[in-house]
Amino acid sequence: MLPTIAELPAGWKLNDSKSVGWRDGATSEEFAQSLPCSAMAQESAERHGYGSIVFDAPGNGGDGIGLPLSVPRSPGTLDGPAPRAEAVTLVEENLTLYRKLYDCYNPKNAGIGDSSIVFTTERFPHITMRVGPVEVAINGVPDGRPTAAEWAHVMADRVRAVLGGKKPTARVD
């Protein structure tokens, strides 16, 4: 589902170690300890975990974008991705939780994918959406080109293609 090197915009690379942006904002440990909008740790823990996740972070040496894709684990068994209908419900529950956790950033409907939210923190724009049973997060950079919304539209098209048994061809130019 993720773009290949050849499908990235001119000058972009996969996992560019020199890329700045959201990945340089905090270490994962710092991020895990900082809860948004005065949220309680228990609230944050209500998010459904994942049985499978794919992550990539292309960048152009100056800007970067995070593209995590995931399918929730079935809470009843925890032994693999949830069946499609259950996964759709779990991702929708996650989106509801994100609206609550990030309420101080005034999340709005992004109008991308099957359902989605968009909000901007002090440093970065974020779009989280559901495309079928897949949760897609776009973590962008301010004034980045392509924008987080442009990436989100492309990723929605790519996920739909794969779910439909086709090779994904959508790309950001």
Side-chain angles (χ1 to χ4, degrees):
M1 293 181 195
L2 293 168
T4 65
I5 292 172
E7 293 170 322
L8 293 175
W12 281 58
K13 301 174 184 172
L14 294 178
N15 295 315
D16 184 359
S17 62
K18 294 181 182 174
S19 180
V20 297
W22 69 271
R23 285 173 286 142
D24 300 328
T27 66
S28 29
E29 185 173 306
E30 290 169 333
F31 183 77
Q33 292 175 358
S34 64
L35 293 171
C37 306
S38 302
M40 304 292 289
Q42 183 176 355
E43 289 176 316
S44 185
E46 291 172 6
R47 179 175 166 266
H48 296 290
Y50 297 101
S52 54
I53 187 165
V54 180
F55 180 85
D56 216 338
N60 66 3
D63 290 334
I65 193 139
L67 304 170
L69 310 174
S70 50
V71 177
R73 247 187 263 163
S74 178
T77 63
L78 298 179
D79 62 353
R84 185 181 179 104
E86 183 181 10
V88 166
T89 300
L90 295 172
V91 174
E92 285 296 333
E93 289 174 4
N94 280 348
L95 286 171
T96 298
L97 177 61
Y98 297 150
R99 285 181 186 92
K100 180 179 175 183
L101 291 175
Y102 294 102
D103 68 338
C104 65
Y105 296 115
N106 197 22
K108 306 260 189 247
N109 180 348
I112 307 170
D114 296 322
S115 59
S116 56
I117 59 169
V118 58
F119 61 93
T120 301
T121 62
E122 290 84 2
R123 291 186 60 182
F124 312 111
H126 302 274
I127 297 173
T128 303
M129 62 184 169
R130 179 184 64 78
V131 181
V134 180
E135 184 174 310
V136 182
I138 309 294
N139 304 306
V141 291
D143 304 319
R145 288 293 304 170
T147 66
E150 289 169 321
W151 278 106
H153 283 287
V154 166
M155 292 309 299
D157 289 345
R158 292 183 71 85
V159 171
R160 280 191 186 104
V162 171
L163 292 174
K166 298 177 182 162
K167 181 180 184 213
T169 58
R171 58 188 286 169
V172 174
D173 291 316

